[in-house]
């Protein structure tokens, strides 16, 4: 009997399969670029095989173990994660801005004995890692020599599509960070679903990836373009001018541009923006955080109609819903319809579906879901109901089934006994032409319980007063939602994906009593 039948089915889907297929089909085509360096498909596939053998034979890591990866985005990131996965070793990924305690925590929680680290972060890594990490492989130092010594033949470890290839950590909004176990199968199917939805991932397409690859979405956005034989240019860090210049120079057809990036784009002078030719773009995909309607309209104006997608997902669900370009101006503040193979439900606290139009918690079921939190069976059980992941996001659906995210359940403000969703207030303030950014949180208040407070960043050279902004809110919102205070600030606290950290705003307010 052929091997593939003995295993019960056709060959398993592994995250490097697409790269290997393209190495057979277009070996000399450049797959990946970063800072003027590049790798063809043949070289990338060969280096993935070498990393796998290094991990397995050279470093002695076993199937089912984890090793840490601590680096900013770079050319080597892809081959390291893919190569480790070929040896059945999952990458516990650490963001380049992680603090000492975070580095230590991830190493301990994942049980990593080995860390792949960039030269720039080596010192921080050695200072913070627990003694259980006994080996540091430094990209830009001993890494190349070790690769040169490793075999290029396929790694002998048998890996299945259900094996975990990476463990990104959630940002830990509540309590300690949780390691989200992602399996090959879910990631590959996410790539297929993205290709079907966005139509910008064929072998003639090219993408720019700028979001950090330690994050689940950041890695997926770098992998998907080369899964199908296209090209990707990876930017080591976010910078709006280099992102836009790279898209224009490469004639890129897609990019994942999060709301903070769009905010940076529209903060630039008009003349600057006008210098970049965006006609090659097929898809500007936003996600990770709410994209205010006022910004969507500017994006459609700048990139042209038919290009903006807004998608919603979490590290645990991977991609979940997508709002297609044709609906951007028709469905307001909406994250669209489920991706292929995905189902959503809006449920009450008892897990019963609420009536259409009513607000409840969003549940997601798909083949892309995570394989549980590492070492946390209780948290996994608390976050799942059978085949469903309970997202912690409040949402409603309209008659056509489109999903509208209302807000994070934990960010809801309760003032005078009324529920207030910060996002609704932020949208109104952001529609003011002088406002660049806005974050709303509740301040402790002896009478109201919480008082709605808005933090506002103004566009350079423009002005607005508190009275003007509260006036707009009074016109657009119920009285109890109008901010009791507007604070003008130079910037908002954000995480590495550019998400506004409302919990920090809330902590600031609480600290001031
Ligand atoms: P993470 O696990 O870090 O990817 O964060 C997931 C969370 O980001 C979700 O639970 C949402 O609260 C938020 N999020 C993701 N996409 C969107 C979106 N398009 N609009 C609003 N919030 C989003």
């Amino acid at each position: 009997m052929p091997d593939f039948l003995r295993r019960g089915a056709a060959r398993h889907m592994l995250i490097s399969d697409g790269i290997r297929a393209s190495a057979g089909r277009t070996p000399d085509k450049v797959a990946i670029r970063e800072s003027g360096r590049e790798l063809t498909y043949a070289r990338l596939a060969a280096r993935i095989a070498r990393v796998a053998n290094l991990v397995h034979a050279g470093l002695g890591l076993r199937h089912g173990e984890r090793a840490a990866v601590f680096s900013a985005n770079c050319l080597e990131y892809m081959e390291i994660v893919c190569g480790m996965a070929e040896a059945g070793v999952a990458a516990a990924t650490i963001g380049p801005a992680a603090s000492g305690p975070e580095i230590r925590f991830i190493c301990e929680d994942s049980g990593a004995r080995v860390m792949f680290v960039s030269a720039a972060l080596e010192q921080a890594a050695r200072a913070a890692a627990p003694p259980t990490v006994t080996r540091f492989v430094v990209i830009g130092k001993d890494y190349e020599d070790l690769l040169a010594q490793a075999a290029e033949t396929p790694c002998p470890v048998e890996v299945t599509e259900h094996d975990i290839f990476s463990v990104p950590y959630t940002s830990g909004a509540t309590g300690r960070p949780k390691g989200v176990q992602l399996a090959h199968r879910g990631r590959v199917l996410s790539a297929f679903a993205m290709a079907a939805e966005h139509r910008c991932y064929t072998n003639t397409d090219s993408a720019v990836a700028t979001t950090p690859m330690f994050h689940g979405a950041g890695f997926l956005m770098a992998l998907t373009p080369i899964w199908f034989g296209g090209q990707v240019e990876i930017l080591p860090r976010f910078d709006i001018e280099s992102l836009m210049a790279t898209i224009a120079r490469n004639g890129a057809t897609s990019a994942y541009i999060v709301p903070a990036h769009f905010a940076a784009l529209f903060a630039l002078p008009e003349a600057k923006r006008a210098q970049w030719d965006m006609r090659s773009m097929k898809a500007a995909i936003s996600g990770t955080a709410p994209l205010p309607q006022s910004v969507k309209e500017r994006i459609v104006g700048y990139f042209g109609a038919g290009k903006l997608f807004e998608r919603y997902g979490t590290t645990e669900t991977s991609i979940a819903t997508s709002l297609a370009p044709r609906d951007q101006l028709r469905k307001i503040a909406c994250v669209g319809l489920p991706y292929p193979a995905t189902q959503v439900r809006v449920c009450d606290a008892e897990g019963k579906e609420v009536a259409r139009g009513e607000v409840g918690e969003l549940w997601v079921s798909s083949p892309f879901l995570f394989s549980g939190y590492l070492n946390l069976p209780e948290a996994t059980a608390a976050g799942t109901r059978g085949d469903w992941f309970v997202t912690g996001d409040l949402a409603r659906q309209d008659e056509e089934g489109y999903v509208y995210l209302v807000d994070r359940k934990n960010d809801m403000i309760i003032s005078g006994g009324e529920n207030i969703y910060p996002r609704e207030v932020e949208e109104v303030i952001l529609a003011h032409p002088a406002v660049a950014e806005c974050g709303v949180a509740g301040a402790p208040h002896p009478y109201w319980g919480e008082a709605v407070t808005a933090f506002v960043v103004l566009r350079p050279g423009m002005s607005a007063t508190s009275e003007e902004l509260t006036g707009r809110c009074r016109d657009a919102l119920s009285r109890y939602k109008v901010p009791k205070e507007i604070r003008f600030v130079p910037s908002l606290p954000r995480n590495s994906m550019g998400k506004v950290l409302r919990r920090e705003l809330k902590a600031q307010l609480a600290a001031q009593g």
Side-chain angles (χ1 to χ4, degrees), residues 5-20:
L5 285 181
R6 196 145 28 81
R7 280 200 290 267
R11 199 163 48 92
H12 285 259
M13 285 180 281
L14 304 183
I15 55 160
S16 310
D17 280 346
I19 296 169
R20 258 192 301 276

Side-chain angles (χ1 to χ4, degrees), residues 71-74 77 93-97 168 209-222 234-238 256 258 261 288 495-498:
S71 172
N73 287 358
C74 63
Y77 210 110
T93 50
I94 307 175
T210 185
T211 44
M213 291 168 77
F214 79 89
H215 188 273
F219 188 78
L220 181 64
M221 299 320 286
I234 290 173
L235 302 185
R237 70 194 66 79
F238 168 69
Y256 187 55
V258 302
H261 301 165
T288 293
N495 72 7
S496 55
M497 290 295 277

Side-chain angles (χ1 to χ4, degrees), residues 46-119:
R47 288 169 69 88
I48 289 172
R50 283 179 184 272
V51 172
N53 286 310
L54 164 64
V55 164
H56 175 67
L59 301 169
L61 298 182
R62 295 285 149 250
H63 183 274
E65 269 197 74
R66 284 158 296 273
V69 178
F70 181 31
S71 172
N73 287 358
C74 63
L75 199 66
E76 292 85 355
Y77 210 110
M78 183 63 68
E79 70 202 20
I80 290 172
V81 173
C82 290
M84 283 168 54
E86 292 285 295
V89 174
T93 50
I94 307 175
S99 66
E102 282 167 336
I103 298 167
R104 190 181 177 91
F105 175 82
I106 295 177
C107 292
E108 282 172 349
D109 188 56
S110 65
R113 295 188 284 142
V114 170
M115 182 191 284
F116 286 84
V117 59
S118 61

Side-chain angles (χ1 to χ4, degrees), residues 170-171 215 217 286-291 310-316 335 391-393 405 407-408 423 495 497 499:
T170 58
S171 36
H215 188 273
S286 178
T288 293
L291 185 60
E310 180 174 359
R311 78 144 190 239
Y312 158 78
T314 74
T315 308
E316 295 87 345
V335 291
T391 62
D393 286 306
L405 277 198
D407 228 318
R408 289 290 302 164
R423 176 162 183 196
N495 72 7
M497 290 295 277
K499 209 179 311 222

Side-chain angles (χ1 to χ4, degrees), residues 166-201:
S166 82
V167 187
Y169 279 75
T170 58
S171 36
T174 44
R176 72 157 179 90
K178 298 196 277 279
V180 181
Q181 302 186 93
L182 302 177
H184 286 262
R185 181 173 186 270
R187 202 61 358 169
V188 172
L189 289 172
S190 297
F192 274 95
M194 275 174 47
E197 170 71 11
H198 304 300
R199 300 174 189 209
C200 58
Y201 295 116

Side-chain angles (χ1 to χ4, degrees), residues 49 163 284 292 418:
D163 284 327
E418 300 280 3

